[in-house]
């Protein structure tokens, strides 16, 4: 809602960090790219949603740290382009400390400020520009206080929201917010 309001202006760049150390066992341990295929796909979907665009290019590298319990590459660094907006993604499923929330940490650098998602809380900081001070030949950028944004309180949440969307789709033909055909764009 903050991004859609236009208060922050145009998005110039996005950074996403995701670091966890889950020991699931089973099929994920043998996947060729467990972080990218099984987890980062959700961040890719969110990138498409927030930027209202599909990725037009991707450059990246994956690797598997020596201490990893996964057979495939459990770490990755990617640079994506979404309609001219660069997105940097870094992550690992065998982090050795300081992990992120499951949604990751996000930073949207925008025309008038920054939006941060840290530990599932949203913060905004607006940019302020001062005039040059006497005797100085440059501008010093200052920033407003970091402001915590209260989360939206939808009528339905989690599985109840999904079931409600499904019910609406079946009974009224309403197109749900997430459909498998659209998710193919993330793949």
């Amino acid at each position: 809602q903050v991004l859609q309001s236009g208060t922050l202006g145009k998005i110039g760049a996005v950074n996403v960090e995701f670091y966890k150390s889950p020991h699931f066992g089973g099929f994920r341990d043998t996947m060729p790219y467990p972080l990218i295929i099984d987890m980062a796909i959700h961040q890719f979907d969110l990138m498409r949603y927030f930027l209202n665009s599909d990725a037009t290019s991707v450059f990246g590298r994956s690797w598997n740290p020596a201490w990893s319990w996964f057979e495939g590459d459990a770490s990755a660094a990617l640079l994506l382009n979404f309609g001219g907006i660069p997105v940097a993604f870094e992550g690992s499923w065998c982090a050795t400390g300081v992990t992120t929330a499951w949604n990751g940490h996000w930073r949207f650098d925008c025309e008038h400020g920054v939006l941060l998602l840290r530990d599932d809380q949203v913060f905004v900081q607006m940019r302020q520009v001062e005039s040059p001070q006497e005797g100085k030949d440059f501008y010093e950028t200052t920033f407003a206080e970091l402001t915590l944004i209260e989360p939206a309180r939808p009528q339905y949440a989690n599985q109840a929201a999904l079931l409600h969307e499904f019910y609406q789709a079946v009974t009224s033909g309403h197109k749900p917010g997430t459909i498998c055909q659209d998710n193919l764009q993330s793949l």
Side-chain angles (χ1 to χ4, degrees), residues 34-46:
L35 173 70
I36 293 173
I37 294 172
D38 195 51
M39 184 60 215
I41 190 67
H42 302 296
Q43 277 88 19
F44 299 156
D45 280 338
L46 286 170

Side-chain angles (χ1 to χ4, degrees), residues 135-158:
K136 293 185 179 181
D137 59 353
F138 63 91
Y139 286 87
E140 188 98 23
T141 302
T142 61
F143 303 94
E145 292 291 319
L146 194 62
T147 304
L148 175 65
I149 303 299
E150 287 296 319
R153 303 281 182 218
Q155 181 179 0
Y156 301 100
N158 304 321

Side-chain angles (χ1 to χ4, degrees), residues 44-112:
F44 299 156
D45 280 338
L46 286 170
M47 290 171 197
R48 293 179 53 243
Y49 174 78
F50 288 135
L51 300 173
N52 195 30
S53 176
D54 291 328
T56 54
S57 67
V58 62
F59 174 81
R61 179 175 185 269
S62 65
W63 65 94
N64 202 28
W67 57 85
S68 174
W69 50 93
F70 293 96
E71 288 180 25
D73 288 356
S75 298
L78 306 168
L79 297 174
L80 303 102
N81 188 313
F82 285 82
I85 300 171
V87 178
F89 172 87
E90 261 185 45
S92 179
W93 254 13
C94 50
T96 57
V98 188
T99 60
T100 63
W102 279 99
N103 289 314
H105 288 175
W106 292 68
R107 177 185 175 109
F108 293 84
D109 281 290
C110 302
E111 184 177 10
H112 305 299

Side-chain angles (χ1 to χ4, degrees), residues 120-184:
D120 292 331
Q121 292 186 311
V122 176
F123 299 90
V124 170
Q125 186 175 46
M126 300 301 292
R127 178 177 58 90
Q128 300 171 334
V129 178
E130 296 179 355
S131 301
Q133 296 177 359
E134 192 171 322
K136 293 185 179 181
D137 59 353
F138 63 91
Y139 286 87
E140 188 98 23
T141 302
T142 61
F143 303 94
E145 292 291 319
L146 194 62
T147 304
L148 175 65
I149 303 299
E150 287 296 319
R153 303 281 182 218
Q155 181 179 0
Y156 301 100
N158 304 321
Q159 281 76 15
L162 295 174
L163 290 171
H164 182 72
E165 285 267 327
F166 178 71
Y167 172 78
Q168 292 293 335
V170 170
T171 60
S172 70
H174 170 74
K175 183 178 172 183
T178 59
I179 56 173
C180 63
Q181 293 86 347
D182 183 60
N183 287 353
L184 289 175

